């Protein structure tokens, strides 16, 4: 049995021991123990041959000696030293301890000296152990930990993990504070000091370092380990020879490159970093960096103005802290001694701990573990006593175990604080056990927000626990944050305003200064701030990570998994919350003791920068689907997150429809809307019933080796070393792997998959990895700082039979809070960004399965809708994860920022490094608001400006007028178009709107619904919105509706007193309500969801202004058809995709006059297009002067007139299309919903052809067309020539083509004669001559 760092085993008293020993005087020890301690001397020489073994491990000869003489003469040591610790008595305690051994470099020398009569405690000076007094004159615990892992070449294996360290404890060490080590010829004993009581018994165990009783020399192929003490000593080492062999698992950087290791500036640590020769030795292997100039650059990229907030090796930002403390000064608990006496009394009363050990166990807990006074001040004596009893019980249990392993599991959770104490092996993440860090994440940190925030302090005990498992004690303390100012604002950064009270009391001025700078950077950035600080005269590193609360779920525990992967452990960790919504984590990292097992890891001086690099990757997906493979070391972090991303990809795109679907699709007409609808439904059903996301995940998890090979191919294409010898991306383990692993080409990967997988299904899934790799054109995967992972994909992999209209561009964005797409059908395209929420897990599964198809259909609808404007159709959809339904803003910000990573020049060192761009063309996206994003577009605009995007003014439409936006809802832009189609019907049929009974979904709280109410003069008889259903057959009070529309209030705010006796209101949370007709409504929500399908109420017109897609489909449309005739004569589809195409055809066949969304709902896109045009035409100064409303709300005169012009353009374009569809239907009888698509296809097709003809190069024609197409007010203000200079050429070309194409088709129809276009252009050319 052994004893370390104050941890005492349970009592094992000798037969002659008695309770009287509890009161034995200090210094009383057994004669045998005293004699053994003062007389034994051991000298052992351990010669390690200076050759290179079969594993490539180079070693040198080391002489190891351990000696202790009564006179205190030091023993010459280099590897195994005899440290003498004074215990406060006249007896020496000899502590043999492995010194800090190294591989391949000169050795350290540790000197141990002790005086037989000295009472002064041991002090550490550099690598020497010397005796000296402590300031208070009391003896100090002198202890070390040893985790041996020695191999005997050709001989027996030394017991792994057996420790030879001793410790002594002030005022007594308990019965097992004394024990000895013995080989066949020598015995080393140690006797404890006495306190309330000690035992005479002294145990003896064989010395693990001595293998041969006849010789003081033993051969070993690997040196002994050194301790991971509380204050890490400088360790001279060159791991080049030890780490060249490929480790058993893979590191994350996967490029054949040279990787310099940072030189430490401190002279005390200079010997602990590889020499220049070592750093340059890798070059001789013939491996070269992917040169910076070989990166495929995006044209005309400019440097980003973003400052660097990620410390880069060799930069001034890698700061050195002279203070080796943790940066906190805990307020002293004045009642600590009094409390300790009370705790001892409580423990004695319980009687579980023998009386002679009560004081030593209690003082060990209070003094030796380093627990903060805040804990003792927070906890009551009963709780402290229970913790001490629990720890002692764990020791008793450990003694009874065969492996003597000590396991401690303590937790206490109160309303405002929690305490967790656990045994933990340094540098090891475990999947079983209590997993306290995950619990802290889930219960406290993930949900920290505003006043409900929690701070965390955690530390690791300095020494190992009894037993051979190299375990230490890890303590976690969680406290509810107390803010002086709980609501300072998101941008406030003053520490005295945003700081937590305990932090402000305990943190040193230096720590506050560090946090102040980091918080300022975090407020200025969208993503995390990651910085590292060197600790002077120590190999310890301080890693500081800051991010917005709620933006990284599970980050605390995930960080532990990350640095454990690189052979690094933490001594202390702090999580601080600030009332401006910033979380800051400070982690003190140190290397693991050198053993054969840890030799595969690079030195911390190298791995710390890889850890920093991967914190950003971890921030994107803290807990991925393959986390267990990362924790166990089977896959690296990059490999697991890559697999996670491909799993998302495969879930959406795996072609699993089968030959039956192909046969059916070949029979049906893809251009027929009804046929396309049927195929879409079948496709959705097939996907839901075959490969599920869980099944795909299970398959991928079966083949980690294939994942590794596929990732190598991905990384070989997209990782780039950006700064040559100054690169901060040190690949460490990946570099080693690349010396033995070969990157397979696509054919080799195909063969490897076919050879490895078990069946056809598995082959389909793993082959999709190859499809993903070949489709990625650029990604931010290797960008130093990012908030989500974005991939620009080539959409050519999409099967044409499923997606007949080819996409131009596709972005896939993945984060822990969401997944999302952005799809566009043209280079120049625009469309809104919507956020999809899910009520429950089942709804999420449905939304996830239909995510891409819904996005594709919305973008396709937008493409048809954008027939009158230069931009093609696009759409972005963000699906919130089922566990993060409250993270809409976080998801939107991450989505936008990560896409911008691929649009902007990533040239800020350490922030946005260059990426591999296989697309090779500059891209600009034009976005707008949609569901759940209307209040977020201002942030996106400002963010684009802060990131230096030259197109920030046009990036988002629908923004605040203060930013030059033209809000659709304020000016009714979308409604103006819908209204033009409604009025067109009334005009053609000579109907009086006042007599038209109207049903509207989407109430007075929405954009389209409220403006429809404000502009209309029909007789409203029913309105359905999110709150419920409002009905009045006599006509809903119009004045009350106007009031709600202006206030943007739901119908729940309607004054029911203004309803007629036949009127009623049913809200969604109501049930068992009797209608005036006598009908009983059982459930308000169900009644609301199906009201538009009821035939009990008669309506003349139906204007869907809101509602989910496919609210009327082929299955439900029959409810609106009675005896073959429609129950609703006129429908204008304002809400996107409200009615499916096959349902539209059924309604039209039954007699409904129907205009679909792609035609009616295009006013918003026209407004947005003209808003973009203005932002591109003005320079920054002119844009602010003419398009931005002042803070006082005063609009520039130009802005007012421009908005009026936009409104007139919307009405004119809507009227042109209405007349064209009406005319075509009368001439051909083709359903109007089909004609809408036919006109759109005709316009867009002709548009693309015109842009690629020589007509564009006719400068006179170009200017003539643009003069007609561009707003007159803009031409008068800026001038055509200046507009031609400022607006991108491809955008002007799109204006040219769309204007000519739309005017021709509207005049001549979708099937003109072959001479029609010639006649059309002849008239235009003649007009130019006038």
């Amino acid at each position: 049995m052994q004893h370390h760092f104050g941890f005492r085993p349970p009592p094992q008293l000798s037969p002659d021991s008695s309770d009287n020993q509890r009161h034995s005087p200090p210094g009383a020890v057994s004669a045998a123990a005293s004699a053994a301690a003062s007389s034994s001397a051991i000298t052992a020489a351990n010669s390690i041959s200076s050759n290179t073994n079969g594993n490539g491990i180079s070693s040198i000869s080391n002489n190891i000696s351990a000696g202790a003489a009564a006179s205190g003469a030091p023993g010459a040591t280099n590897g195994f030293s005899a440290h003498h610790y004074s215990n406060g008595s006249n007896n020496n305690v000899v502590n043999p301890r492995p010194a800090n051994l190294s591989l391949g470099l000169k050795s350290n020398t540790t000197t141990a000296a002790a005086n037989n009569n000295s009472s002064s405690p041991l002090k550490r000076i550099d690598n020497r152990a010397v005796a000296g007094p402590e300031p208070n004159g009391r003896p100090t615990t002198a202890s070390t930990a040893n985790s041996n892992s020695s191999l005997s070449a050709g001989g027996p294996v030394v017991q792994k993990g057996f420790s030879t360290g001793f410790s002594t404890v002030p005022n007594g060490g308990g019965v097992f504070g004394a024990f000895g080590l013995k080989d066949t010829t020598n015995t080393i004993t140690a006797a404890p000091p006495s306190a309330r009581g000690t035992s005479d018994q002294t145990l003896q165990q064989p010395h693990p370092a001595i293998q041969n009783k006849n010789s003081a020399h033993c051969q070993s192929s690997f040196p002994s380990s050194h301790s991971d003490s509380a204050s890490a000593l400088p360790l001279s080492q060159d791991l080049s020879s030890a780490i060249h062999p490929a480790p058993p698992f893979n590191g994350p950087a996967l490029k054949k490159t040279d990787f310099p290791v940072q030189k430490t500036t401190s002279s005390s640590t200079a010997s602990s970093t590889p020499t220049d020769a070592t750093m340059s030795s890798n070059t001789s292997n013939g491996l070269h960096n992917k040169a910076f100039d070989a990166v495929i650059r995006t044209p005309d990229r400019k440097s980003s103005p973003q400052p660097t907030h990620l410390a880069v090796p060799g930069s001034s930002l890698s700061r050195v802290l002279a203070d080796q403390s943790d940066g906190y000064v805990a307020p002293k608990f004045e009642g600590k001694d009094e409390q300790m006496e009370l705790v001892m009394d409580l423990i004695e009363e319980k009687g579980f701990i023998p009386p002679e050990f009560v004081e030593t166990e209690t003082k060990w807990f209070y003094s030796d573990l380093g627990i903060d006074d805040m804990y003792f001040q927070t906890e009551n004596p009963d709780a402290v006593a229970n913790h001490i009893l629990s720890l002692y019980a764990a020791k008793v249990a450990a003694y009874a175990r065969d492996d003597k392993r000590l396991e401690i599991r303590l937790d206490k959770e109160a309303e405002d604080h929690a305490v967790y104490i656990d045994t933990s092996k340094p540098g090891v993440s475990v999947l079983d056990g209590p997993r306290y860090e995950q619990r802290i994440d889930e219960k406290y940190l993930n949900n920290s927000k505003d006043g409900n925030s929690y701070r965390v302090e955690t530390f690791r005990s300095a020494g190992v626990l009894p037993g051979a498992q190299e375990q230490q004690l890890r303590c976690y303390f969680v406290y509810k944050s107390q803010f002086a100012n709980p609501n300072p604002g998101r941008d406030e950064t003053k520490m005295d305003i945003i700081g937590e009270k305990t932090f402000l009391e305990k943190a040193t001025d230096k720590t506050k200064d560090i946090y102040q700078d980091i918080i300022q950077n975090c407020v200025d950035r969208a993503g995390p701030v990651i910085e590292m600080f060197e600790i002077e005269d120590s190999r310890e590193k301080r890693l500081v990570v800051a991010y917005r609360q709620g933006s990284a779920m599970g980050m605390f525990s995930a960080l532990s998994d990350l640095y454990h992967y690189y052979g690094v452990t933490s001594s202390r960790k702090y999580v601080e919350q600030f009332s401006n919504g910033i979380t800051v984590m400070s982690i003190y990292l140190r290397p693991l003791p050198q053993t054969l097992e840890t030799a595969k890891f690079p030195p911390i001086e190298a791995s710390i920068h890889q850890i920093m690099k991967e914190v950003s990757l971890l921030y994107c997906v803290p807990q991925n689907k393959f986390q267990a493979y990362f924790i166990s070391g089977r896959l690296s972090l990059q490999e697991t997150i890559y697999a996670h991303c491909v799993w998302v990809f495969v879930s959406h795109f795996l072609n699993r429809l089968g030959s039956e679907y192909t046969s059916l699709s070949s029979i049906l007409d893809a251009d027929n809307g009804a046929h396309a609808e049927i195929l879409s439904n079948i496709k959705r059903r097939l996907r839901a019933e075959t490969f599920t996301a869980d099944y795909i995940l299970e398959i991928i998890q079966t083949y980690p080796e294939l994942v590794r090979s596929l990732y190598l191919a991905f990384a070989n294409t997209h990782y780039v070393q950006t700064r040559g010898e100054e690169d901060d991306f040190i690949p460490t383990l990946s570099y080693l792997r690349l010396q033995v692993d070969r990157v397979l080409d696509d054919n080799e990967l195909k063969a490897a998959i076919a050879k490895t997988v078990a069946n056809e299904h598995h082959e389909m899934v793993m082959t999709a990895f190859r499809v993903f790799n070949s489709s990625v054109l650029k990604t931010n995967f290797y960008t130093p700082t990012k908030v989500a992972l974005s991939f620009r994909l080539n959409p050519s992999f999409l099967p044409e039979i499923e997606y007949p209209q080819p996409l131009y561009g596709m972005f896939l964005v993945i984060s822990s809070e969401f997944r999302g797409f952005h799809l566009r059908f043209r280079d120049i395209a625009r469309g809104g960004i919507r956020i999809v929420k899910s009520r429950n897990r089942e709804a999420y599964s449905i939304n996830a399965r239909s995510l891409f198809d819904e996005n594709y259909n919305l973008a396709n609808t937008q493409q048809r809708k954008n027939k009158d404007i230069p931009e093609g159709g696009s759409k972005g959809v963000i699906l919130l994860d089922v566990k993060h339904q409250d993270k809409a803003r976080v998801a939107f910000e991450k989505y936008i920022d990560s896409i911008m990573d691929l649009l902007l020049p990533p040239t800020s060192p350490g922030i946005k490094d260059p990426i591999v761009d296989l697309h090779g063309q500059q891209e600009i996206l034009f976005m707008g608001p949609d569901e759940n994003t209307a209040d977020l577009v201002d942030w996106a605009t400002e963010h684009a400006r802060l990131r230096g995007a030259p197109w920030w003014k046009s990036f988002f439409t629908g923004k605040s007028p203060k930013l030059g936006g033209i809000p659709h809802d304020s000016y009714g832009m979308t409604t103006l178009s819908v209204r033009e189609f409604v009025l067109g019907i009334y005009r053609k049929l000579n109907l009086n709107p006042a007599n038209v009974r109207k049903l509207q979904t989407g109430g007075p709280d929405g954009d389209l619904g409220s403006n429809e109410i404000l502009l209309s003069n029909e007789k409203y008889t029913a309105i359905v919105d999110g709150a419920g259903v409002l009905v009045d057959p006599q006509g809903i009070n119009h004045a009350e509706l106007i009031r709600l529309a202006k206030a943007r209030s739901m119908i729940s705010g309607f004054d029911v007193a203004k309803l007629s006796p036949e009127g009623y209101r049913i809200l969604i949370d109501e049930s068992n309500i009797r209608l005036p007709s006598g009908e009983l409504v059982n459930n308000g929500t169900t009644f609301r969801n199906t009201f538009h399908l009821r035939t009990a109420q008669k309506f003349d017109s139906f204007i869907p202004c809101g509602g989910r897609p496919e609210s009327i489909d082929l299955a439900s449309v029959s409810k609106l058809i009675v005896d073959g005739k429609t129950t609703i004569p006129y429908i204008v589809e304002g809400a996107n995709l409200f009615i499916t195409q096959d349902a539209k055809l059924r309604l039209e066949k039954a007699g409904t006059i129907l205009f679909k969304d792609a035609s009616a709902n295009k006013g918003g896109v026209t407004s947005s297009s003209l808003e973009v045009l203005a932002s591109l035409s003005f320079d920054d100064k002119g844009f602010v002067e003419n398009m931005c409303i002042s803070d006082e709300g005063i609009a520039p005169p130009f802005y007012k007139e421009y908005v009026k012009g936009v409104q007139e353009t919307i009405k004119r374009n809507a009227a042109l299309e209405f007349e064209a569809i009406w005319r075509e239907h009368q001439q051909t009888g083709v359903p109007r919903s089909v004609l809408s698509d036919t006109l759109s296809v005709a316009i867009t097709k002709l548009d693309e052809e015109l842009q690629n003809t020589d007509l564009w190069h006719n400068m006179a024609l170009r200017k003539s067309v643009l003069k007609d197409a561009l707003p007159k007010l803009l031409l008068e203000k800026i001038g055509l020539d200046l507009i031609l200079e400022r607006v991108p050429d491809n955008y002007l070309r799109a204006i040219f083509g769309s204007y000519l194409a739309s005017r021709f088709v509207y005049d001549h129809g979708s099937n003109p004669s072959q001479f029609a276009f010639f006649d059309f252009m002849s008239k235009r050319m003649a007009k130019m001559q006038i």
Side-chain angles (χ1 to χ4, degrees), residues 647 651 656 687-697 849:
W647 167 73
S651 299
R656 49 201 182 277
R687 286 181 172 174
E689 295 179 353
T690 52
F691 282 66
T692 65
D694 289 340
Y695 182 39
I696 293 171
L697 178 64
R849 286 197 298 268

Side-chain angles (χ1 to χ4, degrees), residues 1108-1120:
R1108 291 296 297 163
E1110 302 183 4
S1111 293
I1112 301 177
D1113 57 15
L1114 192 60
S1116 60
V1117 71
S1118 59
K1119 296 180 180 180
L1120 298 178

Side-chain angles (χ1 to χ4, degrees), residues 4 68 330 450 504 601:
H4 284 298
D450 302 328
L504 294 176
F601 298 115

Side-chain angles (χ1 to χ4, degrees), residues 19 62 243 490 616 621 727 759 828 916 937 1191 1224 1262:
D19 287 344
N62 291 268
I243 66 174
R490 278 172 61 96
S616 179
V621 189
D727 197 355
N759 55 49
I828 300 297
V916 175
V937 296
D1191 293 337
E1224 288 268 307
R1262 181 192 305 184

Side-chain angles (χ1 to χ4, degrees), residues 524-709:
D524 294 339
R525 291 182 52 76
V529 175
I530 307 161
E531 292 206 27
M532 184 269 290
F533 300 86
E534 307 276 357
I535 307 297
E536 190 174 36
D537 297 332
S538 171
R539 299 185 69 208
E540 189 172 74
K541 315 293 180 185
R542 184 177 180 183
L543 182 66
V544 184
V545 181
Y547 55 89
R548 284 282 180 187
Q549 285 179 344
S551 65
M553 304 292 100
M555 189 71 166
F556 180 65
S557 57
L559 279 172
S560 297
D561 297 335
L562 175 59
Y563 57 72
H564 287 166
Y565 183 82
Y566 287 99
V568 175
T569 188
S570 64
S571 58
R572 306 179 300 283
K573 294 190 284 190
Y574 298 91
V575 181
E576 300 292 355
Q577 308 288 353
F578 297 88
S579 57
N580 64 346
I582 300 295
T583 297
V584 181
M585 294 185 182
S586 187
I587 306 171
Y588 295 75
L589 300 174
R590 59 178 52 170
L592 292 174
Q594 282 301 309
T595 65
L596 182 61
E597 181 182 356
T598 62
K600 63 177 176 283
F601 298 115
I604 190 173
E605 290 77 11
S607 60
I608 184 63
H609 297 290
Q610 182 74 21
I611 293 170
M612 292 173 64
K613 190 93 169 185
E614 296 196 359
V615 168
S616 179
L617 192 61
L618 199 65
Y619 175 84
C620 299
V621 189
Q623 303 291 333
N624 67 74
K625 290 292 183 179
F626 302 87
Q627 193 79 7
Y629 287 82
F630 173 54
I631 294 174
S632 64
R634 296 185 67 184
L635 293 173
S636 70
L637 178 66
Q638 294 186 20
E639 289 163 342
T640 56
I641 292 184
Y642 162 78
H644 177 94
C645 292
V646 181
W647 167 73
V648 173
F649 174 86
V650 175
S651 299
H652 291 290
F653 300 119
L654 184 61
N655 186 0
R656 49 201 182 277
L657 301 179
S659 58
E660 293 82 359
Y661 177 86
T662 304
S663 300
L664 180 61
S665 62
S666 64
I667 298 173
L668 299 179
D669 181 8
D671 294 330
N672 184 304
H675 291 187
E677 197 79 36
I678 294 172
L679 287 173
S680 176
N681 292 335
I682 293 175
K683 177 172 61 176
R684 188 181 303 111
R685 179 69 61 85
L686 287 173
R687 286 181 172 174
E689 295 179 353
T690 52
F691 282 66
T692 65
D694 289 340
Y695 182 39
I696 293 171
L697 178 64
E698 179 183 338
I699 292 173
I700 298 174
Q701 290 175 335
T702 308
Y703 305 105
E705 294 301 325
L706 281 180
V707 169
R708 182 176 294 115
S709 297

Side-chain angles (χ1 to χ4, degrees), residues 90 100 420 588 641 694 873-874 1042 1146:
N90 293 328
N100 295 322
Y420 305 95
Y588 295 75
I641 292 184
D694 289 340
S874 71
I1042 294 294
R1146 287 285 307 277

